[in-house]
Amino acid sequence: MPYFSTLCVYFLMVLNSVMTNTITEEIDVLVFVPQNNSYLFSYTRVAPAIRYAQQRLKTDGGQYSGFHFNIQFENSDCANDALFLLVDRSCAHDKPDLILGPVCEYEAAAVVRLASHWNIPVISAGALAAGFSNKNTEYSHLTRIAPSYVKMAETFTAMFEHFTWKSALLVYEDDKEERNCYFTLEGVYHLMADFNIKTYAFSQGGRLDTDDILHNIYDIEVVIMCMGANNIREIMLAAHRRRLTDGNYIFFNVELFNASSYGNGSWKRGDEYDNDARQAYASLNTVTLLKTVKPEFENFSMEMKMSFKKAGFLDCEDCGTVNMFVEGFHDAILLYAIALHEAMKNGHSKKNGTEITSRMWNRTFEGIAGQVSMDDNGDRNGDFSLMAMTNVEAGTYEVVANYFGVNGTFQLLPAFNTDHFTLKGRYKAHAEKPAKSCGLGVSALTGVIVGAVLGSAMLIAFYFFRKNYRITIERRTQSEEHDTGKHRQLREDSIRSNLSAA
Ligand SMILES: *[C@@H]1O[C@H](CO)[C@@H](O)[C@H](O)[C@H]1NC(C)=O
Ligand SMILES: *[C@@H]1O[C@H](CO)[C@@H](O)[C@H](O)[C@H]1NC(C)=O
Ligand SMILES: *[C@@H]1O[C@H](CO)[C@@H](O)[C@H](O)[C@H]1NC(C)=O
Ligand SMILES: *[C@@H]1O[C@H](CO)[C@@H](O)[C@H](O)[C@H]1NC(C)=O
Ligand SMILES: *[C@@H]1O[C@H](CO)[C@@H](O)[C@H](O)[C@H]1NC(C)=O
Ligand SMILES: *[C@@H]1O[C@H](CO)[C@@H](O)[C@H](O)[C@H]1NC(C)=O
Ligand SMILES: *[C@@H]1O[C@H](CO)[C@@H](O)[C@H](O)[C@H]1NC(C)=O
């Protein structure tokens, strides 16, 4: 009789599985996130999101409720910890079925290479650098669940095309460690090959030479910056003093993750420059992630807040907002479940990483904050917002436009003001160009000469750059497009070469 009832229960379970399409499977997940709470993707922030996703799959009784995730969290230090842990663990136990993280670029590069070699899918809400877009070989098993820097850069190409801007100066602060701003603007550089682009880097903590920076903008229309809020303010104040904020130039800063450092009041410091800063910021626009809200998200957001409190994590301003990383790691579990289910239904096992990875790509699913669309290269399409000061008297900002990566459209909102984005002096500046000289435009020719001079200056500067990191300037003109040398600095310094040089 006991035997019979066991059989009966078993039969019911099988029947239940068949009816609901449930597949039962144990999945070993290894998560690499830092314990250090100074990271926006620290264990304290990310772990509750992963557990929330796991719990939701389990309790909703749907087709994924048979998946049992054994989740192991390991520390990542944004250097080598994750790689060493993965190797050590895999020698002692079985290899994991899925890896989540790491977020930091250099650490992710090493882990993803090994995981791809071992046929293990990796989903990260980081690894945002342009170098990871090449999934042909070493990053073949990487799925990026948060929009990469190149996706962000699409916002700029869309704007440049829309407003027919042609040239930009990219100014960034480089910490030479995680290098977030370097990689952010590398994405812009990577995508904007058809525009005239100059770059200017300065080291973190070094003296900010605003004169030198502004000296570079005379033949430029748009300035795109990535750096700390105080440096942005210093540059904008200096630009204002030189009357560069009168509509002849358009300034942008890119701030993707840290919601508290942009928008309303970002110019305010309570010092004697507040008034000037407010006026200067009238020509400063911010590109940031689009915030989507759906009812389900409220519950998630509340639960995350409660977990932070429970962890005794009270002294942070941003805790109330679920950031891109938290959201991404939640959605990573959903995406993996969808892909694994589909793969297993088609007779593959969880160990076929290639198969599962390919099923995570080129698809759209409902994430915690809205629809998530993965492109056919395994990278998430991103939606971004453009914020501009709409009331100069009050110094308040509003979202004036949105960019949707999934269809590449730029949506102008009611607060949008075309005048604000129209370059005032552009016709004056462009009328000066003489027609031709030996088939090359004069400006192009000077571009090449200046390029060569800068090239040798760069070689010299590079020596210092290595030693104590000085300023580097690189110029790219449209006429040099076929000269691959122009890409050298940012490309060679990209993920791969940086690591192989190290
Ligand atoms: C956490 O990270 C910050 C910034 O990288 C660093 O200054 C701090 O020392 C770290 N804290 C610990 C406990 O490692
Ligand atoms: C966010 O920005 C604020 C203000 O600029 C800054 O104090 C804080 O350290 C930033 N947080 C992170 C995690 O970067
Ligand atoms: C979120 O939803 C769950 C299940 O519906 C519920 O038990 C929980 O109390 C909700 N949390 C909050 C903070 O509302
Ligand atoms: C994994 O799936 C692919 C089909 O996508 C198949 O060609 C390959 O043989 C499978 N590998 C293993 C180890 O089963
Ligand atoms: C992506 O999916 C669409 C349909 O959903 C299909 O037409 C297209 O061929 C797929 N692309 C790739 C590269 O697999
Ligand atoms: C800034 O403040 C204004 C007026 O209070 C408000 O309408 C606007 O939504 C705020 N913008 C942001 C980005 O918070
Ligand atoms: C593009 O996608 C967004 C978001 O999915 C949608 O709101 C918008 O209407 C789409 N635009 C076009 C032209 O399809």
Side-chain angles (χ1 to χ4, degrees):
M1 199 59 184
Y3 173 74
F4 178 74
S5 61
T6 315
L7 198 70
C8 208
V9 166
Y10 180 72
F11 178 75
L12 280 175
M13 270 172 63
V14 169
L15 187 69
N16 185 46
S17 305
V18 170
M19 303 259 298
T20 61
N21 230 336
T22 310
I23 299 173
T24 309
E25 184 65 278
E26 296 274 319
I27 302 137
D28 282 324
V29 187
L30 193 53
V31 186
F32 291 115
V33 282
Q35 294 288 340
N36 186 334
N37 274 329
S38 63
Y39 294 98
L40 287 168
F41 40 88
S42 67
Y43 170 83
T44 318
R45 298 173 208 245
V46 166
I50 293 176
R51 296 211 177 94
Y52 185 96
Q54 180 190 17
Q55 198 58 35
R56 224 173 48 138
L57 287 182
K58 181 114 279 169
T59 53
D60 80 351
Q63 52 185 343
Y64 311 121
S65 56
F67 291 149
H68 183 75
F69 293 94
N70 303 313
I71 300 180
Q72 189 189 345
F73 289 92
E74 290 292 357
N75 186 36
S76 117
D77 62 350
C78 284
N80 284 317
D81 269 11
L83 176 67
F84 297 156
L85 270 158
L86 176 61
V87 172
D88 291 348
R89 196 198 112 111
S90 302
C91 292
H93 312 270
D94 280 344
K95 297 191 180 96
D97 302 316
L98 168 67
I99 295 171
L100 298 185
V103 167
C104 300
E105 316 295 324
Y106 292 114
E107 194 177 34
V111 168
V112 174
R113 278 194 196 108
L114 184 61
S116 299
H117 175 69
W118 280 347
N119 197 15
I120 303 169
V122 183
I123 311 177
S124 180
L128 304 174
F132 291 107
S133 306
N134 183 350
K135 307 274 180 75
N136 291 332
T137 52
E138 52 187 356
Y139 306 129
S140 59
H141 285 55
L142 173 65
T143 301
R144 297 193 285 180
I145 193 74
S148 69
Y149 295 133
V150 173
K151 298 284 184 192
M152 178 279 295
E154 288 176 8
T155 313
F156 283 105
T157 47
M159 276 194 279
F160 271 63
E161 274 158 25
H162 189 271
F163 300 113
T164 65
W165 301 329
K166 302 214 158 37
S167 54
L169 171 66
L170 313 182
V171 188
Y172 61 94
E173 181 174 26
D174 196 344
D175 65 359
K176 283 280 155 186
E177 277 172 28
E178 285 152 44
R179 313 191 72 186
N180 287 332
C181 275
Y182 167 84
F183 287 121
T184 302
L185 292 192
E186 186 201 28
V188 176
Y189 187 91
H190 181 86
L191 205 60
M192 298 204 10
D194 295 338
F195 300 88
N196 183 1
I197 303 282
K198 277 204 267 181
T199 64
Y200 187 105
F202 61 91
S203 57
Q204 192 175 45
R207 194 178 74 88
L208 182 66
D209 190 346
T210 51
D211 284 345
D212 196 30
I213 294 172
L214 295 176
H215 180 71
N216 279 284
I217 82 169
Y218 68 98
D219 59 345
I220 285 289
E221 297 163 325
V222 177
V223 181
I224 304 174
M225 301 182 281
C226 180
M227 62 191 75
N230 288 338
N231 284 335
I232 295 265
R233 189 169 182 266
E234 254 190 68
I235 292 178
M236 290 311 296
L237 280 171
H240 191 63
R241 277 195 297 273
R242 293 164 166 250
R243 301 186 205 291
L244 299 173
T245 53
D246 57 1
N248 286 312
Y249 301 94
I250 293 177
F251 294 84
F252 288 95
N253 74 320
V254 182
E255 177 52 90
L256 297 182
F257 317 125
N258 191 353
S260 62
S261 65
Y262 59 76
N264 283 346
S266 51
W267 45 268
K268 206 182 273 176
R269 292 289 183 284
D271 60 16
E272 76 251 51
Y273 302 116
D274 270 1
N275 199 36
D276 285 346
R278 179 175 52 77
Q279 288 169 28
Y281 275 45
S283 31
L284 176 67
N285 312 290
T286 298
V287 168
T288 184
L289 287 162
L290 175 74
K291 287 198 185 70
T292 45
V293 188
K294 65 174 197 179
E296 251 176 279
F297 190 72
E298 283 306 307
N299 183 288
F300 176 65
S301 182
M302 302 263 278
E303 293 279 330
M304 294 304 104
K305 240 184 260 185
M306 274 156 56
S307 318
F308 296 149
K309 286 233 174 79
K310 234 184 267 167
F313 191 21
L314 301 164
D315 59 340
C316 79
E317 301 166 27
D318 286 342
C319 288
T321 53
V322 171
N323 66 44
M324 173 185 102
F325 305 107
V326 172
E327 183 193 322
F329 280 113
H330 172 280
D331 292 349
I333 295 283
L334 299 190
L335 178 57
Y336 180 81
I338 294 169
L340 177 65
H341 189 267
E342 205 178 271
M344 290 181 74
K345 247 181 25 189
N346 284 283
H348 298 283
S349 93
K350 64 175 181 180
K351 289 291 174 198
N352 194 333
T354 314
E355 180 65 27
I356 295 165
T357 300
S358 74
R359 286 178 190 274
M360 292 196 278
W361 297 7
N362 194 24
R363 77 181 316 143
T364 300
F365 68 102
E366 205 50 49
I368 190 68
Q371 199 152 73
V372 178
S373 129
M374 307 297 301
D375 72 8
D376 56 18
N377 193 42
D379 296 335
R380 181 178 177 169
N381 287 313
D383 299 335
F384 299 89
S385 291
L386 174 62
M387 301 202 324
M389 194 185 275
T390 48
N391 181 343
V392 182
E393 291 303 304
T396 51
Y397 272 81
E398 272 176 87
V399 174
V400 297
N402 291 318
Y403 173 78
F404 297 104
V406 65
N407 50 23
T409 55
F410 203 57
Q411 172 198 44
L412 304 180
L413 300 176
F416 182 84
N417 176 358
T418 309
D419 278 353
H420 183 87
F421 293 96
T422 305
L423 287 159
K424 304 233 161 47
R426 69 180 306 166
Y427 297 106
K428 180 190 75 212
H430 283 257
E432 292 164 6
K433 277 187 191 166
K436 298 242 162 166
S437 89
C438 335
L440 269 179
V442 163
S443 59
L445 203 61
T446 32
V448 173
I449 294 165
V450 172
V453 172
L454 278 177
S456 33
M458 255 175 60
L459 277 180
I460 300 164
F462 198 67
Y463 173 76
F464 295 102
F465 175 86
R466 275 280 145 103
K467 305 209 104 170
N468 53 9
Y469 191 49
R470 289 283 185 83
I471 292 152
T472 55
I473 302 172
E474 193 198 17
R475 155 175 289 255
R476 172 159 90 190
T477 64
Q478 269 161 300
S479 56
E480 289 176 85
E481 268 327 299
H482 300 289
D483 168 17
T484 48
K486 72 190 185 292
H487 288 295
R488 203 172 286 142
Q489 176 168 5
L490 287 176
R491 285 277 163 76
E492 276 188 0
D493 220 10
S494 188
I495 290 295
R496 184 189 172 84
S497 43
N498 237 304
L499 283 187
S500 44

